[in-house]
Amino acid sequence: MNSDHERFMAIAIEEAKAGAAQGEQPFGAVVVRDGEVVVQTRSLKVAMSDTTAHSETRAISLATQKLRRRSIPECTFYATCEPCPMCLGAILNSGIKTLVLGARNTDILKAGTLAFNYNEYTAESFAKFVGWDLTVVTGVLHDQCVNLYKTATVELTR
């Protein structure tokens, strides 16, 4: 496993844990460019009463604003769990070409946690559907990411 992938996923995990400690859903995201963290975020759906305040949409918004560009294809996106279609759409719209995942949504469903269930949806199937050249790296700190959702105390419906 790529040690950089593990290092950045560990940051996403810490964001998810910090969010969970504040009563949020345990989702974390990190955007990286040239080996440096551009932004790191957590879900704020609960605190903001905003169904769109997922860690992934927040990360894209903050990264593009910080870099002052709408398109950031040179960046790599790290997510503790496979992004929902809304979040993946935001990542697509930013032009990012590499997505690094800890857990898959199917992992969360197997853990018995209430998570979104979009039948055969995966990041790869979404990318193929829209003709997006996306590289997906999976299983980075997988067990630690899955454990975030096994111990979740809030409903995980995305």
Side-chain angles (χ1 to χ4, degrees):
M1 186 65 55
N2 180 317
S3 63
D4 281 343
H5 287 333
E6 290 181 352
R7 178 167 54 106
F8 297 125
M9 186 61 72
I11 295 169
I13 290 168
E14 289 308 310
E15 284 292 327
K17 287 179 179 178
Q22 297 172 339
E24 294 290 343
Q25 295 177 327
F27 295 95
V30 175
V31 177
V32 173
R33 182 177 71 170
D34 297 329
E36 299 291 327
V37 173
V38 176
V39 297
Q40 57 192 70
T41 63
R42 64 191 70 139
S43 176
L44 289 178
K45 284 176 60 175
V46 176
M48 295 177 72
S49 297
D50 181 352
T51 60
T52 67
H54 294 200
S55 61
E56 300 91 347
T57 55
R58 293 187 67 245
I60 292 299
S61 177
L62 294 169
T64 55
Q65 289 172 22
K66 183 174 182 177
L67 296 172
R68 302 181 57 83
R69 295 181 20 235
R70 288 180 21 199
S71 182
I72 53 173
E74 73 283 4
C75 292
T76 300
F77 197 98
Y78 292 82
T80 56
C81 185
E82 189 165 18
C84 73
M86 175 186 69
C87 292
L88 203 53
I91 296 166
L92 160 72
N93 279 299
S94 75
I96 287 177
K97 299 197 180 303
T98 304
L99 172 64
V100 181
L101 302 176
R104 291 283 196 164
N105 185 61
T106 54
D107 295 324
I108 308 313
L109 289 169
K110 287 177 193 169
T113 302
L114 183 59
F116 69 88
N117 185 2
Y118 295 123
N119 299 320
E120 302 299 317
Y121 168 84
T122 64
E124 292 90 344
S125 66
F126 182 98
K128 182 178 179 183
F129 177 73
V130 298
W132 177 18
D133 181 23
L134 177 67
T135 299
V136 180
V137 178
T138 61
V140 178
L141 300 182
H142 175 267
D143 292 344
Q144 295 94 314
C145 288
V146 170
N147 285 336
L148 290 169
Y149 309 106
K150 285 183 177 178
T151 59
T153 58
V154 294
E155 184 176 295
L156 295 180
T157 303
R158 302 293 308 254

